[in-house]
Amino acid sequence: MGKTKHTGPVKLTKRPDPSLWVSKVPFGLGKVKPHHIRDTMKVVWENKDNLPYATRILTQGVCDGCALGVSGLQDQTLKGPHLCTTRLNVLRLNTMPAIKEEILHSDIEELKKLSSTELRKLGRIPYPLIREPGDDRFRRLSWDAALDRIAQKMRSLDPKRYGFYTTSRGITNEVYYTLAKVSRFLGTNNIDNASRICHSPSKTALTRSVGVGASTCNYKDWIGTDVLLFWGSVAANNQPVSTKYMYAAKRKGTKIIIINPYYEPAMDEYWVPSIPESALFGTKIADDVYQVNIGGDIAFMHGIMKHWFEMEENVPGSALDHEFIEEHVNGLEELKQKVVAYDWETLEASSGITKERMLELAQLLAKSKSAVFVWSMGLTQHRFGTDNVSQVANLALLRGFLGREHCGLMPIRGHSGVQGSGEMGADPFVLPGGGMDKDNRERVEQIWGFPIPKWQGDIVGVSLENALLPENHERHLSLYYLSGGNFLETMPNPDFVERCLANIDLRVHQDIIFNTSTLVDAKEAVIVLPAMTRYEQEGGGTSTSTERMVYFSPEIKGPRIEEARCEWEVYVDLAKRVKPEESDLINFTSAAEIREEIAKAAPNYDGIQHLKNRGDLFQWGGAWLCEDGICPTPDGRGNLIAVEIPEHRKPEGHFHVTTRRGKQFNSMIYDELDPFNAADRDDVLMNELDAAELGVAEGDPIVVYNQYGMYKGQAKFVNIKAGNIELHWPEGNVVIPQGVYEEFAGIPEYTTLVIVEKADSFYAHKDMKYKEKRIEELEMEPS
C-alpha cells in the first residue's frame, strides 16, 4: 500500500530538560504514583521458582502484553531496552506450575467462592477436565475422550447451533488463522474474537473513511509531530511503554492533547522508569486537556469543524487543506451542510465544551503542519462508536493529516494478539485477506479447497443470547468452544451472561488458567482443555502490533505443563474427528506450514512465511497507509462521513456512566488500589460539585442504580466532568445493559444513565417502589 519502509528505531536524547519536570523532589516522593521498582521486585519474587525461564521469556520472546510490539527488550521506535509493568504482570501466567491436584479436584462450590484473581493464582490447568450435572468436582479425562465427546456433539448439531470464540491472551496469528479455517471447514460462521469487543468500530469506520482497517502510521510518527492527540485513551495505564514515546515526543516539541471526561493523572504526569531523568523528576505529558461529556465526542468534533468552516469564510485557506481535499477527498459539501446546521448551544450542551474552548483546539490544529490522532475504547464502546471514529477521520482528511510522516490515524491496541485476529479471519464478518463478499469468499475457497458457508455468523453477544432461544430454534446455541475469555467479567449484565452460559449443552474452555466463567454449570458438560502459552508452541508463532509490525516469537526452552497442547493443533485434531473423511483438507503439521498458507490467503501478510528466527519481523503496508493521500478505496479517495449528533436525554439528577481500568490488564486485576489516583476498586469516581448537590461527602457509601442493576460503592472525588461518573471495569458492568450493540460493528455499549444516591438515603426507603419510581425517567432513554 505504501512505498516508504519503516526506518527503524531512533536514539533518545540523554540531555535533561528541567522544563518538563513534574517536581524537583526525586522519585515523586509524597505523590500518588506507580512504584515501578517495588512492583518489579514483586514480580521477581513471584517468579523466583522459575527465574531463568522468566528471564528468557523477557529477553527472547515477543511481549504478550500490549500491542506496542516489543521483541525481547527492543522495539522499532526507540533504541535501548524497553520493559513495562504490564508485561511483568502477565509474566507469571507463563511461569506458574500446575494447579495442585487436591485443589483442582476440590468441591466446585469451594472453587466458586474464589475470585478470578484468586483462581488465576492457583496455577496452570494441567490436563483435560470434565464436569457433568450432578458432579461436585471436576474429573480428569484423556485428550482423546475430551475431543471425541466434543466431536460427537458437533456431528449431531446444525453448524448454526455451535460457535467459537477466542480471546487475545498471547494468542498468535497461526492460532487465529487455524481457527478461522477450522470453523468454516466445520460449516459455521459463528466465530468471534476479543478485539471486536474493543476496536471493531475503528476497523469499520476507517474502512469506510480511508479504505483500511488498521493504524495508518507508526509510533515513530509521534516523535516530532506538531500535535499528538489522545481521544478516550489512557495509554499511560494500558500501554505503559508508550509513555517513553510521549517523552520523546515532548523532547521534540510535540504538543500532547488529551480528550477524556476524566482528567486522568497518568496522562498528565508520569515517571518513566527507563529514562533516568523522568524516573527521578517525572515528566509533564499533557499540554491541554478537554473534558468532554461521556458520549459528547461527535458534538465536540462538529464544533471543531464548524469553527474551521467559519474560519474559511473569513480567510480562505486558514483552516482546511484545500489542495489535499481537492485531490484526495470526497463529501466536503455534504459534511459542511451537516456541521454548520448545528447551533453552538446544541454543540456545547452535548459535548460539555464551550465554543471558546473548541476554538482553541480548532486553531491549534489549523496552524499545525502535522498531527497524529490516537484513540481507544473511550470512542469505540458506544452505540455510535463507528460514527465517533469516522469523525476523527474527518478531522484528519480536512487537514491532510494522512499518508505522510508524523501524520496518521491510530486505534491503539490493548493486547499483543488483537490486531491479527480479524486479519486472520477469526471474525463473523471477515475472511483472511478481506470481507465475506463473493469475490473474497471464492478466492479463499480456492486456497482452502472447501466451500465457505454464506450465511451471516453471529457476534459474541448475540451468540450468548442465542443460548436462551427455544430448543428447536435453528440458532439455539448448543455448543460453545471458548479459547480463553471470561464473559462474566467482560460483557455487560453478568447475571444475564451467567444464565446464558448455564443454558448451553456443552461448553468448552480451552485455556491456561481457571476463571469464574469456567466454573459455571452447563446442561450436559463443561470440558476444560489445557493450552500452551505462545512461548511453549513448537515452531514459534507471530503476532501483529498496533503499527502493523508482524513479529516472530520463538519457542523458548523451559518447563512445560505436560499435557498442555498448542491451540492450533487442538483445532486441527478436533476438525479431523468431526469430519474424518475430509481430514486432508485441514491437515496442518507445523507452524511454518500455517505461515506459508497465511501468506497466500492474506496478501498483506506476504512475508510471514519467511519469519522463523528470533528478531524476524516485517511491516505490512509500509510505513504509512494511504501514502501521499491515495487510499485503497474504489476511487482512491478518502470519504468524509456526515453524521448526526447522538441524542442524549439526561433527566435532572441523573448521570452518564462509563467504565475504566485500574491496576489491571484487560479483566485480570492485579491490585485493589489504583496507583495513579489511589482509588479502590469499589470507588465511584465523581465530581465534587455533583456530590455536594447530593449531600455526599468523600468516602460516603453510595448506591448507583438504574433499570439494569445496582452498584454499591463509595464516593471518590476526582477531576471528572460534572454530570459524569466512572466505575471500574468489570465491577461496574452490573449497571450496563446487555443487548445494546453498535449499529455498524456490533460492539456492546459500555455507557448508560444512572441515578446516584447516598446509601443511607436509599435504604431508608423500605418500599422498593421508590427505586422503580426513580428510574421511570430512565425508561425514556433512547435505544
Side-chain angles (χ1 to χ4, degrees), residues 17-23 247 250-252 277 281-285 287:
D17 182 358
S19 69
L20 296 178
W21 292 359
V22 174
S23 169
Y247 172 88
K250 297 288 289 187
R251 295 303 305 267
K252 287 283 189 179
E277 175 194 20
F281 305 114
T283 300
K284 298 174 185 175
I285 295 176
D287 288 280

CSV table of all heavy atoms in Angstrom, one decimal, residues 17-23 247 250-252 277 281-285 287:
chain,number,residue,atom,x,y,z
A,17,ASP,N,15.9,18.0,30.4
A,17,ASP,CA,15.1,19.2,30.1
A,17,ASP,C,14.3,19.5,31.4
A,17,ASP,O,13.2,19.0,31.5
A,17,ASP,CB,14.3,19.0,28.9
A,17,ASP,CG,13.5,20.2,28.5
A,17,ASP,OD1,13.6,21.2,29.2
A,17,ASP,OD2,12.7,20.2,27.5
A,18,PRO,N,14.8,20.3,32.3
A,18,PRO,CA,14.1,20.6,33.5
A,18,PRO,C,12.7,21.2,33.3
A,18,PRO,O,11.8,21.2,34.2
A,18,PRO,CB,15.0,21.6,34.2
A,18,PRO,CG,16.4,21.3,33.7
A,18,PRO,CD,16.1,21.0,32.2
A,19,SER,N,12.4,21.8,32.1
A,19,SER,CA,11.1,22.4,31.9
A,19,SER,C,10.0,21.4,31.8
A,19,SER,O,8.8,21.7,32.0
A,19,SER,CB,11.1,23.2,30.6
A,19,SER,OG,11.2,22.4,29.4
A,20,LEU,N,10.4,20.1,31.6
A,20,LEU,CA,9.4,19.1,31.6
A,20,LEU,C,9.2,18.4,32.9
A,20,LEU,O,8.4,17.4,33.0
A,20,LEU,CB,9.8,18.1,30.5
A,20,LEU,CG,9.8,18.6,29.1
A,20,LEU,CD1,10.2,17.4,28.1
A,20,LEU,CD2,8.4,19.1,28.6
A,21,TRP,N,10.0,18.7,33.9
A,21,TRP,CA,9.9,18.0,35.2
A,21,TRP,C,8.6,18.3,35.9
A,21,TRP,O,8.1,19.4,35.9
A,21,TRP,CB,11.1,18.4,36.1
A,21,TRP,CG,12.5,18.0,35.6
A,21,TRP,CD1,12.7,17.3,34.5
A,21,TRP,CD2,13.7,18.3,36.2
A,21,TRP,NE1,14.1,17.1,34.3
A,21,TRP,CE2,14.7,17.8,35.4
A,21,TRP,CE3,14.1,19.0,37.3
A,21,TRP,CZ2,16.1,17.9,35.7
A,21,TRP,CZ3,15.4,19.2,37.6
A,21,TRP,CH2,16.4,18.6,36.8
A,22,VAL,N,8.1,17.3,36.6
A,22,VAL,CA,7.0,17.4,37.4
A,22,VAL,C,7.3,18.1,38.7
A,22,VAL,O,6.7,19.0,39.2
A,22,VAL,CB,6.3,16.0,37.7
A,22,VAL,CG1,5.2,16.2,38.7
A,22,VAL,CG2,5.8,15.4,36.4
A,23,SER,N,8.5,17.6,39.3
A,23,SER,CA,8.9,18.1,40.6
A,23,SER,C,10.4,17.9,40.8
A,23,SER,O,11.0,17.0,40.2
A,23,SER,CB,8.1,17.4,41.7
A,23,SER,OG,8.7,17.7,43.0
A,247,TYR,N,7.4,10.9,26.0
A,247,TYR,CA,8.5,11.6,26.5
A,247,TYR,C,9.4,12.1,25.3
A,247,TYR,O,9.8,13.3,25.2
A,247,TYR,CB,9.4,10.8,27.5
A,247,TYR,CG,10.7,11.4,27.9
A,247,TYR,CD1,10.8,12.3,29.0
A,247,TYR,CD2,11.9,11.2,27.1
A,247,TYR,CE1,12.0,12.8,29.3
A,247,TYR,CE2,13.1,11.7,27.5
A,247,TYR,CZ,13.1,12.6,28.6
A,247,TYR,OH,14.3,13.1,28.9
A,250,LYS,N,7.7,14.9,23.5
A,250,LYS,CA,7.8,16.1,24.2
A,250,LYS,C,9.2,16.8,24.0
A,250,LYS,O,9.3,18.0,23.8
A,250,LYS,CB,7.5,15.9,25.7
A,250,LYS,CG,6.2,15.4,26.1
A,250,LYS,CD,5.1,16.5,25.9
A,250,LYS,CE,5.2,17.6,26.9
A,250,LYS,NZ,4.1,18.5,26.9
A,251,ARG,N,10.2,16.0,23.9
A,251,ARG,CA,11.5,16.5,23.7
A,251,ARG,C,11.7,17.1,22.4
A,251,ARG,O,12.6,17.9,22.1
A,251,ARG,CB,12.6,15.4,24.0
A,251,ARG,CG,12.7,14.9,25.4
A,251,ARG,CD,12.9,15.9,26.4
A,251,ARG,NE,14.1,16.7,26.1
A,251,ARG,CZ,15.3,16.4,26.6
A,251,ARG,NH1,15.5,15.4,27.4
A,251,ARG,NH2,16.4,17.2,26.3
A,252,LYS,N,10.9,16.7,21.4
A,252,LYS,CA,10.9,17.2,20.1
A,252,LYS,C,9.9,18.4,19.9
A,252,LYS,O,9.8,18.9,18.8
A,252,LYS,CB,10.5,16.1,19.1
A,252,LYS,CG,11.6,15.1,18.8
A,252,LYS,CD,12.7,15.6,18.0
A,252,LYS,CE,13.7,14.5,17.6
A,252,LYS,NZ,14.8,15.0,16.7
A,277,GLU,N,16.1,10.6,33.9
A,277,GLU,CA,15.6,12.0,34.2
A,277,GLU,C,14.2,11.9,34.6
A,277,GLU,O,13.7,12.5,35.6
A,277,GLU,CB,15.8,12.9,33.0
A,277,GLU,CG,15.1,14.2,33.1
A,277,GLU,CD,15.0,15.0,31.8
A,277,GLU,OE1,15.0,14.4,30.8
A,277,GLU,OE2,14.9,16.2,31.9
A,281,PHE,N,12.5,12.8,38.3
A,281,PHE,CA,11.7,14.0,38.4
A,281,PHE,C,10.4,14.0,37.7
A,281,PHE,O,9.6,15.0,37.8
A,281,PHE,CB,12.6,15.2,37.9
A,281,PHE,CG,13.9,15.3,38.6
A,281,PHE,CD1,15.1,15.1,37.8
A,281,PHE,CD2,14.0,15.6,39.9
A,281,PHE,CE1,16.3,15.2,38.4
A,281,PHE,CE2,15.3,15.7,40.5
A,281,PHE,CZ,16.4,15.5,39.8
A,282,GLY,N,10.0,12.9,37.1
A,282,GLY,CA,8.7,12.9,36.4
A,282,GLY,C,8.7,13.7,35.1
A,282,GLY,O,9.6,14.5,34.8
A,283,THR,N,7.7,13.5,34.3
A,283,THR,CA,7.6,14.2,33.0
A,283,THR,C,6.1,14.7,32.9
A,283,THR,O,5.2,14.0,33.1
A,283,THR,CB,7.9,13.3,31.8
A,283,THR,OG1,9.2,12.8,31.9
A,283,THR,CG2,7.7,14.0,30.5
A,284,LYS,N,6.0,16.0,32.6
A,284,LYS,CA,4.7,16.6,32.3
A,284,LYS,C,4.3,16.2,30.9
A,284,LYS,O,5.0,16.4,29.9
A,284,LYS,CB,4.8,18.1,32.3
A,284,LYS,CG,5.2,18.7,33.7
A,284,LYS,CD,5.3,20.2,33.6
A,284,LYS,CE,5.8,20.8,34.9
A,284,LYS,NZ,6.1,22.2,34.8
A,285,ILE,N,3.2,15.5,30.8
A,285,ILE,CA,2.8,14.9,29.5
A,285,ILE,C,1.8,15.9,28.8
A,285,ILE,O,2.0,16.3,27.7
A,285,ILE,CB,2.2,13.5,29.6
A,285,ILE,CG1,3.3,12.6,30.1
A,285,ILE,CG2,1.6,13.0,28.3
A,285,ILE,CD1,2.8,11.2,30.4
A,287,ASP,N,-0.3,18.9,27.5
A,287,ASP,CA,-0.3,20.3,27.3
A,287,ASP,C,-1.6,20.9,27.5
A,287,ASP,O,-1.7,22.1,27.9
A,287,ASP,CB,0.3,20.7,25.9
A,287,ASP,CG,1.8,20.4,25.7
A,287,ASP,OD1,2.6,21.2,26.2
A,287,ASP,OD2,2.1,19.3,25.2
